[in-house]
Amino acid sequence: MAETIFFNGGARGKWKVTKQSAIKGTGLAGVGFIDRGVTVDTTASWTLSGVTSNLRYTNAAEKKLLDATPSVLAKPGATCAALIPITKSAAWWAMAQDERRAVLEDKSRHIAIGSDYLAVVSRQLVHCRDQPGAQFDFLTWFEFRPENEGRFDELLRKLRVTAEWGFIEREVELRLERVS
Amino acid sequence: MAETIFFNGGARGKWKVTKQSAIKGTGLAGVGFIDRGVTVDTTASWTLSGVTSNLRYTNAAEKKLLDATPSVLAKPGATCAALIPITKSAAWWAMAQDERRAVLEDKSRHIAIGSDYLAVVSRQLVHCRDQPGAQFDFLTWFEFRPENEGRFDELLRKLRVTAEWGFIEREVELRLERVS
């Protein structure tokens, strides 16, 4: 069923932290490296974990488009990454499914905007809201080639001005560079 | 965030098992009692657990109707209960959100059928698909007064002939009677 993904933040890992920022709300303790994998590192300063899951908002037409450009992680040239943990507000989660979809796509074009970057930004959505004790709702992960960093910045800028982002109450951003 | 609910099946608990059936797929080891709560009982024969979560399909109009008749558990006269763990197929989970909603409500009227029984059947939906190691997708829990058992049977009969139930690959049913 669900695959559990761990992000261990500490003194070792495949990904060196080049910049760490608290975008909204409380940040995370500063770390030098992120080790992303399927096991917890008990020596890490902190570990965030969650699971891959089924699609929650994507409709059939959008899914067809996404399936045509699968998100492939660990591409040889994709030496840049970003880990962006986010938490949405209680008001978001109290909405009915159609109300959340309306904000996410009809008003904010989240899926449509993301689709414009499928070719240059690989991504993975890790769900943690339903995991006991989780401090974030989602751990979003992105990998891209260094020359596409500007496009990734553009993607973040577009999403962060949407109506959907008004429901984000905590967001941390770590920019990473592959070192092994 | 999520509240974890445990169903401990074994030799003790507030709920005596009056009937245990494998409706579809593999059953569960026979137990005498179910202890439902927020902690694991390490002496239990088996423990199923999961979390309460946000609505996944319900739209605003349906939510308004549900909110008007809140599901209250542990009502004094509601001495009958049922625990029905279910697992849906990979084909179900591979569908886009609108496709799943279309089967669940447009074709199967799951929410509409359930709404007809709100006054006599209290219920709780516990999600476990996204919990590491879970053997079911959902643990569905129902409480009702003994005189409403026929209505509960009717609810199950109606749901089990729907298109949605064609996607259920495992279903176990335990009927219970409150003993303490």
Side-chain angles (χ1 to χ4, degrees):
Chain A
M1 304 200 173
E3 185 190 17
T4 304
I5 309 286
F6 295 85
F7 295 93
N8 299 291
R12 65 186 191 208
K14 189 177 176 178
W15 297 94
K16 183 174 186 286
V17 178
T18 55
K19 194 180 170 199
Q20 180 171 341
S21 335
I23 304 294
K24 193 162 185 196
T26 314
L28 285 166
V31 291
F33 295 83
I34 295 289
D35 169 45
R36 176 185 167 282
V38 295
T39 51
V40 63
D41 176 356
T42 55
T43 70
S45 299
W46 45 255
T47 297
L48 301 175
S49 68
V51 295
T52 55
S53 188
N54 58 290
L55 297 171
R56 301 287 169 89
Y57 299 101
T58 313
N59 68 28
E62 291 155 354
K63 181 174 186 296
K64 202 172 167 186
L65 189 66
L66 297 181
D67 288 348
T69 313
S71 180
V72 177
L73 296 180
K75 283 182 184 167
T79 56
C80 291
L83 169 62
I84 306 183
I86 59 172
T87 301
K88 284 177 167 171
S89 65
W92 173 264
W93 294 110
M95 283 194 286
Q97 178 69 23
D98 59 336
E99 294 171 317
R100 278 181 278 112
R101 160 82 197 186
V103 174
L104 184 125
E105 196 57 23
D106 307 347
K107 291 187 190 162
S108 305
R109 300 187 66 249
H110 184 136
I111 299 167
I113 291 170
S115 294
D116 293 340
Y117 298 85
L118 292 177
V120 293
V121 180
S122 297
R123 76 263 167 243
Q124 183 176 52
L125 177 59
V126 175
H127 298 254
C128 41
R129 177 175 163 77
D130 285 340
Q131 304 302 315
Q135 54 173 319
F136 292 98
D137 289 343
F138 304 101
L139 310 172
T140 65
W141 175 256
F142 307 90
E143 295 180 8
F144 46 88
R145 300 174 70 92
E147 61 266 35
N148 290 321
E149 184 144 31
R151 303 255 8 241
F152 178 68
D153 293 339
E154 184 183 275
L155 167 62
L156 291 186
R157 272 199 308 274
K158 285 185 185 172
L159 288 173
R160 284 175 176 158
V161 296
T162 61
E164 184 192 356
W165 248 250
F167 290 90
I168 295 217
E169 63 176 30
R170 188 176 178 198
E171 181 172 8
V172 179
E173 180 180 326
L174 290 97
R175 291 296 185 105
L176 309 155
E177 194 180 287
R178 198 163 75 199
V179 289
S180 66
Chain B
M1 304 205 170
E3 184 190 14
T4 304
I5 309 287
F6 294 86
F7 295 93
N8 299 290
R12 65 186 191 206
K14 189 177 175 178
W15 297 94
K16 183 173 186 284
V17 178
T18 55
K19 194 179 169 199
Q20 181 171 344
S21 335
I23 305 292
K24 195 164 183 195
T26 314
L28 285 166
V31 291
F33 295 84
I34 295 289
D35 169 46
R36 175 184 167 282
V38 296
T39 51
V40 63
D41 175 357
T42 55
T43 70
S45 299
W46 45 255
T47 298
L48 302 175
S49 68
V51 295
T52 55
S53 187
N54 59 288
L55 297 171
R56 301 287 167 90
Y57 298 102
T58 312
N59 68 29
E62 292 154 354
K63 181 175 185 295
K64 202 172 167 186
L65 190 66
L66 297 181
D67 287 350
T69 311
S71 180
V72 177
L73 296 180
K75 283 183 186 166
T79 56
C80 291
L83 170 62
I84 306 183
I86 59 172
T87 302
K88 283 177 167 172
S89 66
W92 173 265
W93 295 110
M95 284 195 286
Q97 178 70 24
D98 59 337
E99 295 171 317
R100 277 181 279 113
R101 160 83 197 185
V103 175
L104 183 125
E105 195 57 24
D106 308 346
K107 291 186 191 163
S108 306
R109 302 188 64 250
H110 184 134
I111 298 166
I113 292 171
S115 294
D116 293 339
Y117 298 85
L118 292 177
V120 292
V121 180
S122 296
R123 75 265 166 241
Q124 183 176 53
L125 177 59
V126 175
H127 298 255
C128 40
R129 178 175 162 78
D130 286 340
Q131 303 303 316
Q135 54 172 321
F136 291 98
D137 288 345
F138 304 101
L139 311 173
T140 65
W141 175 257
F142 307 90
E143 295 179 9
F144 44 89
R145 300 174 70 92
E147 62 265 36
N148 290 321
E149 184 145 32
R151 304 255 6 241
F152 179 65
D153 293 339
E154 181 183 276
L155 167 61
L156 291 186
R157 273 199 307 273
K158 285 186 185 173
L159 288 172
R160 284 176 176 157
V161 296
T162 60
E164 184 193 356
W165 247 250
F167 290 91
I168 295 216
E169 63 176 30
R170 189 177 178 198
E171 181 172 8
V172 179
E173 181 180 325
L174 290 96
R175 291 296 184 104
L176 310 156
E177 195 180 285
R178 199 163 76 198
V179 288
S180 65

